[in-house]
Amino acid sequence: SAAGMRFRLGARSFFQVNGDMLEAAAAEMRAAVEAVPNPVIADFYCGVGTFGILLASRAREVFGIEPDEENIRFLKKNLGLNRIGNYAVCEGTGEEWIDEILERKADVVILDPPRRGLDPSLVSRLGTGPVPMIIYPAPPTDLVVETVVVPFSGAVGGEVKVTYTVRNAHATETAKGFW
């Protein structure tokens, strides 16, 4: 369980077992999402639905994109278990769903990619979207950055402000040519 929600998962499912870290990441995401009134959220590679479910109460609609059949079965169980009604399960890869998500005018995109990383075509489409906010919930092994929130203007080669948490210290930087 996390933030009052319960989750079922399989033997191959990824789930942040450090409850304190999961709660901290969820709190950072909630704070970021609250800046967008009634957002449409797209959670790419959502697994068993952890982040989308934790943010669903603050969203108009959540799209959970997931290619793994076992994760999809547990995702659907978790939606029922937590009585989430504003969550659409999108079975397939991010590359297969990106155009639909952009047509739905997602306000917030959560990117929690598989180990192989994000397909370049998905990154390219996100860059031309535009998507107002991208959240990357990085595990602490990724340069010890716990949560990255990128308010994205969609301007390729433009400026992007990146807000992140590194071991409980908050920072904001401006990156030029980031996308």
Side-chain angles (χ1 to χ4, degrees), residues 19-102:
D20 291 339
M21 185 178 296
L22 179 57
E23 294 279 345
E28 289 286 327
M29 288 183 189
R30 278 193 298 274
V33 168
E34 284 177 358
V36 182
N38 206 23
V40 172
I41 298 173
D43 186 359
F44 282 84
Y45 301 98
C46 67
V48 298
T50 309
F51 296 125
I53 288 172
L54 292 174
L55 296 172
S57 67
R58 291 168 167 74
R60 178 173 10 139
E61 190 169 18
V62 178
F63 295 95
I65 300 97
E66 176 58 43
D68 185 83
E69 290 179 16
E70 182 182 46
N71 281 341
I72 291 167
R73 281 194 306 277
F74 283 103
L75 168 59
K76 290 176 180 178
K77 287 180 184 180
N78 292 335
L79 293 171
L81 185 66
N82 292 292
R83 299 177 186 190
I84 305 295
N86 62 338
Y87 195 115
V89 177
C90 304
E91 299 181 27
T93 65
E95 304 86 81
E96 295 168 335
W97 282 96
I98 184 62
D99 290 330
E100 173 87 13
I101 296 303
L102 292 175

